[in-house]
């Protein structure tokens, strides 16, 4: 298995998850990565990703896995970046014997948010609350959702906010959460949010996904 950590920045942030997968799979074909296909009536390239981001949110740490027999990590990283669009190039490649199943292992994501104005440090007080209710659209209906247990850390520094939020099965939709923080001076749209890294839980500690691949 080949695992790439790649960006999704600039115009690429506005690609839907399905279209982004098509771009990545075309990149595999261009670099002749010998990716395996499923069997059956409609064979498809065997690839995997972690939890997708809302449209417009940027990332420096998207993980893409492809079932390939190639093993030269340096060569694969170079070829990937030669064949991928600028906004989706990678900074890390790992080869694993089996599918690392990052979609199941990743439980949190770190984000940086750039606000138009200075953010009140009062936003950090959310961590001392027993509950935090925000609005979220579900199937076209706006609901009140309690999300306190999905917020792991918050740090305001000037007009920047650094957050660690739940990802995966307990995913907290980051654009909806940021929108709810307007009362603390956070004025940002989806494109002002950048995912910095994704984390797995190992022994009760958060460990960057790339570290568990080494």
């Amino acid at each position: 298995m080949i695992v790439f950590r790649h960006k999704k920045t600039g115009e690429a942030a506005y690609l839907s998850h399905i279209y982004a997968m098509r771009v990545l799979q075309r990149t595999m074909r261009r670099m002749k990565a010998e990716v395996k296909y499923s069997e059956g009536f409609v064979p498809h390239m065997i690839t995997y990703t972690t939890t997708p981001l809302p449209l417009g949110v940027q990332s420096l740490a998207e993980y893409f896995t492809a079932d390939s027999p190639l093993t030269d990590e340096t060569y694969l990283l170079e070829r990937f970046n030669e064949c991928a669009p600028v906004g989706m190039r990678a900074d890390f490649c790992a080869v694993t014997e089996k599918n690392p199943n990052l979609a199941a292992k990743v439980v949190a994501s770190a984000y940086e948010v750039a606000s138009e104005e200075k953010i009140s440090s009062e936003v950090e007080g959310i961590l001392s609350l027993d509950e935090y209710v925000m609005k979220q659209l579900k199937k076209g209906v706006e609901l009140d959702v309690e999300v306190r247990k999905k917020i792991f850390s918050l740090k305001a520094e000037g007009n920047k906010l650094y957050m660690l939020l739940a990802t995966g099965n307990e995913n907290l939709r980051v654009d909806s959460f940021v929108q709810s923080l307007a009362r603390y001076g956070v004025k940002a749209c989806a494109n002002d949010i950048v995912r910095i890294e994704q984390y797995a839980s190992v022994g009760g500690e958060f460990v960057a996904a790339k570290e568990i691949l080494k």
Side-chain angles (χ1 to χ4, degrees), residues 177-198:
F177 178 62
V178 169
Q179 186 176 12
S180 79
L181 300 177
R183 72 193 78 166
Y184 297 101
V186 181
K187 295 185 178 181
C189 66
N191 201 236
D192 297 317
I193 306 168
V194 181
R195 176 147 67 180
I196 304 300
E197 184 54 277
Q198 299 185 55

Side-chain angles (χ1 to χ4, degrees), residues 1-5 28 31 33-38 44-49 63-74 76-77 92-102 105 212-214:
M1 291 282 184
I2 311 170
V3 186
F4 294 100
R5 186 177 77 166
M28 293 292 103
M31 60 187 284
E34 302 176 28
V35 179
K36 295 181 181 178
Y37 281 74
S38 64
H44 61 273
M45 191 178 288
I46 301 176
T47 58
Y48 310 90
T49 64
Y63 286 87
F64 173 71
T65 303
D67 190 346
S68 169
L70 303 185
T71 60
D72 188 332
E73 295 172 353
T74 300
L76 288 165
L77 183 59
F92 172 82
C93 174
V95 173
T96 61
E97 184 176 347
K98 299 179 180 179
N99 180 11
N101 195 15
L102 293 179
K105 293 178 181 177
I212 68 174
L213 297 170
K214 293 181 178 179

Side-chain angles (χ1 to χ4, degrees), residues 12-129:
Y14 295 99
L15 297 177
S16 69
H17 175 62
I18 292 175
Y19 195 83
M21 283 290 288
R22 290 174 182 166
V23 171
L24 291 166
Q25 289 173 351
R26 283 201 297 268
T27 298
M28 293 292 103
R29 286 195 288 270
R30 289 191 187 108
M31 60 187 284
K32 296 180 171 55
E34 302 176 28
V35 179
K36 295 181 181 178
Y37 281 74
S38 64
E39 299 178 357
F41 187 70
V42 184
H44 61 273
M45 191 178 288
I46 301 176
T47 58
Y48 310 90
T49 64
T50 48
T51 303
L53 290 168
L55 204 66
V57 176
Q58 302 189 75
S59 178
L60 302 178
E62 297 303 285
Y63 286 87
F64 173 71
T65 303
D67 190 346
S68 169
L70 303 185
T71 60
D72 188 332
E73 295 172 353
T74 300
Y75 169 78
L76 288 165
L77 183 59
E78 290 176 353
R79 285 293 295 149
F80 182 91
N81 288 332
E82 288 172 358
C83 299
V86 173
M88 298 182 73
R89 289 178 180 166
D91 66 356
F92 172 82
C93 174
V95 173
T96 61
E97 184 176 347
K98 299 179 180 179
N99 180 11
N101 195 15
L102 293 179
K105 293 178 181 177
V106 167
V107 297
S109 291
Y111 300 94
E112 177 185 282
V113 183
S115 174
E116 294 178 9
E117 300 178 4
K118 183 177 180 180
I119 301 169
S120 171
S121 60
E122 292 179 3
V123 70
E124 298 169 13
I126 291 174
L127 298 174
S128 64
L129 301 177

Side-chain angles (χ1 to χ4, degrees), residues 126-132 146 148-149:
I126 291 174
L127 298 174
S128 64
L129 301 177
D130 292 329
E131 63 176 31
Y132 181 81
E146 203 292 300
R148 173 60 190 88
K149 292 182 179 179

Side-chain angles (χ1 to χ4, degrees), residues 125-154:
I126 291 174
L127 298 174
S128 64
L129 301 177
D130 292 329
E131 63 176 31
Y132 181 81
V133 178
M134 70 178 208
K135 299 288 186 182
Q136 184 167 317
L137 280 176
K138 288 191 175 182
K139 297 183 179 179
V141 179
E142 188 174 64
L143 302 174
D144 288 329
V145 183
E146 203 292 300
V147 297
R148 173 60 190 88
K149 292 182 179 179
K150 299 180 181 182
I151 307 166
F152 303 131
S153 71
L154 295 167

